[in-house]
Amino acid sequence: MKFLKNFHTPTAHRLFYFLLMLSICLTLSIQPARAQSVAFTFDDGPKVAGTPILSAVERNQALLNALAKHGVKAALFVTAANGANQSAGYALAKAWGDAGHAIGNHTMTHPDLHNNKLSLMEYQQEILDCDRIISTLPGYQKWFRYTYLREGNTPEKRDGMRAFLKLHGYRNAYVSLDTSDWRLDDKLIEVLDKNPQADLSDIKQAYLSHIRQRALAYRALSQQLQGRDIPQVILLHHNLINALWLSDVITQFKEMGWSIVTPATAFADPVYQLMPDRPAPGQSLLLSMARSLGLGKFDGWMRLVDDGDTEIEALKAQGL
């Protein structure tokens, strides 16, 4: 009893916290050093619609070649009506599975769950319709990625989807490192539509800079929220900009000192089991966590939600 009484003195408190911090520091010091890691995932594929340069087959093969060149195993989240519901598009998706990449579900037609005219049942049917096609592909996984990363704008849709995914055995294939590659892809196509021989070096540089900025910002956010580096899951798209420069994106990550892991490895981290408690969850898992904790518009928040406005405005200033 005398010890317990003395323990509550200021000196005892200081000693306790000193020993606690010393224990933590010693524990951390013996942990093996781990590089920040990232897993590559691609949405909306395989697209069979035309682009100013490269056919659908050429774009698909360019993506697969870049991944193979760097020994990267990724995941393709299929929106079936973009092409996989046709024999030609199905063959493109199959090529991903044949190459050892995972195949996930991204709905049939890419509707928005936050559309008030779309019912929960209609959205769930989109998943089941897509699944009937992709479940026959090599590499198929029970992974679902929300369209627009929107998980329901009402408690009924949010909870209904969480129950649906659990009932059907789906993993919520979260994104932690969100990008606006689609916005820069739009700019790329706009420029090429005007001139298929246009100099694309400024767009390429803007794209690589954008990926780097987002990667560093989400890494900093993971350290703030989790106190550590989590294995990041990056969202890119099955599009022209990645067909042209995915190899450069991967090289940039390697030059930054990041290691590349499979999506399955990343998803095994406990952080991807979390479900942020928000009325309308969605977007990057990290951003959703920050909002559920009430962080508000923290430093750097705008650059994570500006949809690439900064890069687009800079390109416009360069005459593009």
Side-chain angles (χ1 to χ4, degrees):
M1 292 298 294
K2 183 177 180 181
F3 170 77
L4 291 176
K5 181 178 179 180
N6 291 339
F7 180 78
H8 291 285
T9 66
T11 300
H13 276 155
R14 286 195 294 271
L15 178 60
F16 171 76
Y17 284 113
F18 171 76
L19 293 174
L20 176 63
M21 294 307 298
L22 179 62
S23 174
I24 292 173
C25 290
L26 290 173
T27 300
L28 292 175
S29 69
I30 63 175
Q31 294 296 316
R34 294 181 181 178
Q36 170 65 66
S37 61
V38 61
F40 280 79
T41 68
F42 299 82
D43 283 8
D44 299 357
K47 287 189 174 180
V48 297
T51 50
I53 59 173
L54 301 186
S55 67
V57 172
E58 289 170 335
R59 294 194 308 272
N60 196 63
Q61 194 58 51
L63 289 165
L64 292 173
N65 288 348
L67 294 169
K69 174 183 176 181
H70 293 277
V72 174
K73 295 302 181 186
L76 177 68
F77 287 89
V78 175
T79 300
N82 282 348
N85 57 341
Q86 308 167 28
S87 59
Y90 183 89
L92 299 182
K94 184 175 183 296
W96 283 71
D98 288 339
H101 303 294
I103 302 293
N105 190 316
H106 199 45
T107 74
M108 191 72 184
T109 66
H110 208 278
D112 186 352
L113 183 57
H114 287 199
N115 183 342
N116 292 326
K117 296 181 180 180
L118 181 76
S119 72
L120 175 62
M121 186 175 296
E122 288 172 326
Y123 192 79
Q124 293 170 349
Q125 189 60 49
E126 284 265 344
I127 300 169
L128 297 175
D129 289 344
C130 179
D131 215 54
R132 276 192 284 272
I133 295 170
I134 67 171
S135 61
T136 61
L137 290 168
Y140 167 73
Q141 303 290 327
K142 295 282 282 191
W143 296 350
F144 173 69
R145 175 160 293 162
Y146 283 91
T147 50
Y148 305 101
L149 301 184
R150 293 172 184 160
E151 299 180 27
N153 60 336
T154 67
E156 291 75 21
K157 284 185 175 181
R158 178 200 63 194
D159 297 341
M161 276 303 302
R162 288 176 175 176
F164 174 86
L165 296 181
K166 183 177 181 180
L167 175 65
H168 290 272
Y170 285 102
R171 164 185 288 280
N172 182 345
Y174 281 121
V175 169
S176 62
L177 202 174
D178 193 12
T179 77
S180 298
D181 69 326
W182 58 272
R183 182 79 181 281
L184 287 154
D185 185 64
D186 286 347
K187 170 57 71 174
L188 171 66
I189 291 174
E190 175 190 324
V191 169
L192 288 171
D193 276 336
K194 295 176 181 177
N195 178 13
Q197 304 302 319
D199 181 358
L200 305 177
S201 56
D202 287 339
I203 300 177
K204 176 181 179 180
Q205 184 54 49
Y207 182 45
L208 293 176
S209 179
H210 171 77
I211 296 296
R212 181 183 180 87
Q213 179 270 322
R214 289 287 180 91
L216 294 176
Y218 278 115
R219 182 182 190 184
L221 187 55
S222 76
Q223 292 169 341
Q224 180 180 356
L225 296 175
Q226 292 286 297
R228 65 185 177 95
D229 287 328
I230 69 168
Q232 298 281 349
V233 175
I234 189 171
L235 168 56
L236 299 174
H237 288 83
H238 188 280
N239 56 18
L240 180 59
I241 201 167
N242 288 308
L244 294 179
W245 300 318
L246 176 59
S247 181
D248 297 282
V249 170
I250 298 172
T251 296
Q252 178 173 259
F253 273 111
K254 290 182 175 180
E255 290 174 347
M256 290 166 61
W258 290 40
S259 64
I260 300 173
V261 297
T262 66
T265 297
F267 285 144
D269 189 279
V271 73
Y272 292 104
Q273 297 294 328
L274 299 177
M275 290 189 290
D277 185 16
R278 296 175 56 210
Q283 296 183 299
S284 156
L285 173 62
L286 290 169
L287 198 56
S288 194
M289 289 166 59
R291 286 174 166 168
S292 70
L293 293 171
L295 294 188
K297 296 182 179 181
F298 51 85
D299 288 345
W301 172 85
M302 182 53 70
R303 286 301 309 277
L304 296 181
V305 299
D306 72 349
D307 283 339
D309 288 345
T310 300
E311 289 81 9
I312 294 298
E313 290 305 314
L315 288 171
K316 287 181 179 178
Q318 294 170 301
L320 293 173

